[in-house]
Amino acid sequence: MAKPGYGKRSAPDQQPRTPHDFALLPARERYIAGFVDHLPDGAAMSVKQLTKQLPLYGQQAISTSLNALSVAGHLRRVRCPVGTGDETRWAFRTFWSRTARDNTWWTTYLATETAARTAAPAAVPQQRTAPEPTSPAPEAPTPATTPAAPAAPTASSAPTAHTAPTVGAVGAAETAGSAGAAGMARSAGTAGMAGTAPKALPAAFSPASRFSPAYLALAELGRKDPRLTLSAHDCTTLEPQAAEWLARGVTTDYLITALTAGLPTHVDCPPRFVRHRLTDKIPPHQPTPHTPPDTNTPPPTRHLLVECTDCGRPGPPQALPDGLCRPCRTTHPTNHHPPADPTQIAAVKAHMTNLRDLLKAP
């Protein structure tokens, strides 16, 4: 019973379920009403689906019983528009009420926004995709180890003799000390240069942050075509005119293309040529781009259309009292005759049996 087709929707404010809910209905309608009342919300309630679930009755009997239940105030067939934009589809629902309601209650309820939200199909949540695993960041290279400096001579290694050193010994010691100091200085300088990375220029020194887009577009002309190479003074002079182009809604690519298109074979004075094109080819003001609708605003409320329970003709709730259109109300009058006496039914059956026996006699 989960297939689409007049899915069941329960009406609000119903009385608790009791064994005598549909006691005033005929036997067939009471049996079908009890079955429909125990169906969950969303179950299909078309005539064909109910016929499959209730083998005691055929499609004609089920259709007639649903008409009687609609007249008794227990159900209404509706259709609600679904879809966005130009695409519009219809979803068919059946509102069911265990408690019998009159036409005024059904008309008031089906015209509310609550009924429209109840009849609308539930939105399917979008499945979130798991994020792709990211590869681990490469480890930073370890800085080069600085070679250990040679240990300084200790006091124990100093000569213990009390005699004064000779002139040759003093000169050799000074020469060795100078060579060792120079070697240590070179080693320390090499290690400092190897471990120090070149520093990047701060963002304040980048050309994009110092100059305007109009200035950068004029400076780009020389790269696009050498015939329009401009100096820094020329770019500063022509910057206000180029900024006027950008203020009208064009991009820098459009500005560069308009200035470099159809150049002559030789340009004698690039600044004067660019100034002439900036003046003569200035574009009109661009229209304001269409802003997309806000996705957070709720969609407009769409009212329900009630269907005739018998023929399916749609219409507003007030135009279909008892859930039937005018032709169907004429064909199926609402004033039902009371059920026949069981004794009379038995008498009619006995009379028909007697007639058959008489026909079989020779």
Side-chain angles (χ1 to χ4, degrees):
M1 298 298 290
K3 296 181 180 180
Y6 296 101
K8 177 184 175 183
R9 295 294 187 270
S10 298
D13 303 333
Q14 300 187 41
Q15 296 180 359
R17 185 178 286 113
T18 62
H20 308 287
D21 287 331
F22 310 103
L24 300 180
L25 297 176
R28 184 178 63 188
E29 284 75 11
R30 183 167 61 250
Y31 177 79
I32 296 176
F35 176 79
V36 171
D37 186 52
H38 286 79
L39 290 176
D41 279 3
M45 285 186 57
S46 63
V47 175
K48 292 185 178 180
Q49 290 292 334
L50 292 178
T51 305
K52 294 179 182 179
Q53 300 295 323
L54 301 173
L56 295 180
Y57 303 103
Q59 295 187 16
Q60 187 62 38
I62 295 292
S63 177
T64 304
S65 299
L66 292 179
N67 294 340
L69 292 176
S70 177
V71 174
H74 292 286
L75 67 88
R76 286 293 186 274
R77 301 277 204 193
V78 300
R79 62 170 65 177
C80 58
V82 295
T84 57
D86 298 335
E87 180 183 0
T88 302
R89 296 178 293 108
W90 294 94
F92 301 90
R93 301 287 182 259
T94 300
F95 279 94
W96 173 261
S97 175
R98 186 184 315 111
T99 305
R101 310 289 188 176
D102 55 3
N103 292 324
T104 304
W105 188 93
W106 280 114
T107 302
T108 305
Y109 173 69
L110 295 178
T112 60
E113 185 179 355
T114 305
R117 288 198 304 265
T118 304
V124 179
Q126 297 182 354
Q127 185 178 3
R128 297 182 178 179
T129 57
E132 297 180 357
T134 56
S135 59
E139 297 182 357
T142 57
T145 57
T146 306
T154 58
S156 59
S157 62
T160 56
H162 295 279
T163 58
T166 61
V167 177
V170 172
E174 291 178 354
T175 304
S178 300
M184 292 175 60
R186 286 195 299 268
S187 301
T190 305
M193 293 174 63
T196 304
K199 296 182 180 180
L201 293 176
F205 292 97
S206 60
S209 60
R210 294 177 55 187
F211 304 103
S212 65
Y215 183 95
L216 297 177
L218 294 173
E220 188 70 18
L221 294 177
R223 295 184 180 182
K224 297 294 182 181
D225 198 311
R227 289 172 289 183
L228 294 183
T229 303
L230 302 176
S231 64
H233 177 72
D234 297 335
C235 293
T236 305
T237 305
L238 299 174
E239 182 180 359
Q241 290 182 271
E244 178 64 23
W245 280 55
L246 301 181
R248 297 187 176 220
V250 302
T251 61
T252 55
D253 294 337
Y254 179 88
L255 172 61
I256 295 173
T257 304
L259 295 178
T260 57
L263 293 177
T265 306
H266 180 71
V267 179
D268 296 330
C269 183
R272 183 173 55 188
F273 183 85
V274 173
R275 182 184 297 107
H276 184 270
R277 284 205 166 184
L278 287 174
T279 304
D280 294 348
K281 289 191 173 185
I282 185 168
H285 290 278
Q286 298 293 330
T288 304
H290 176 67
T291 56
D294 189 6
T295 56
N296 297 327
T297 56
T301 304
R302 299 182 177 183
H303 299 285
L304 301 178
L305 288 178
V306 181
E307 279 192 355
C308 177
T309 310
D310 190 14
C311 66
R313 180 178 299 175
Q318 59 272 13
L320 283 83
D322 296 331
L324 299 175
C325 60
R326 182 177 300 177
C328 293
R329 284 200 308 271
T330 305
T331 307
H332 308 282
T334 57
N335 49 349
H336 296 284
H337 299 284
D341 190 3
T343 57
Q344 296 180 358
I345 296 177
V348 171
K349 289 183 178 181
H351 180 66
M352 295 302 298
T353 304
N354 188 24
L355 291 178
R356 294 190 187 94
D357 296 337
L358 292 176
L359 292 175
K360 293 178 182 179

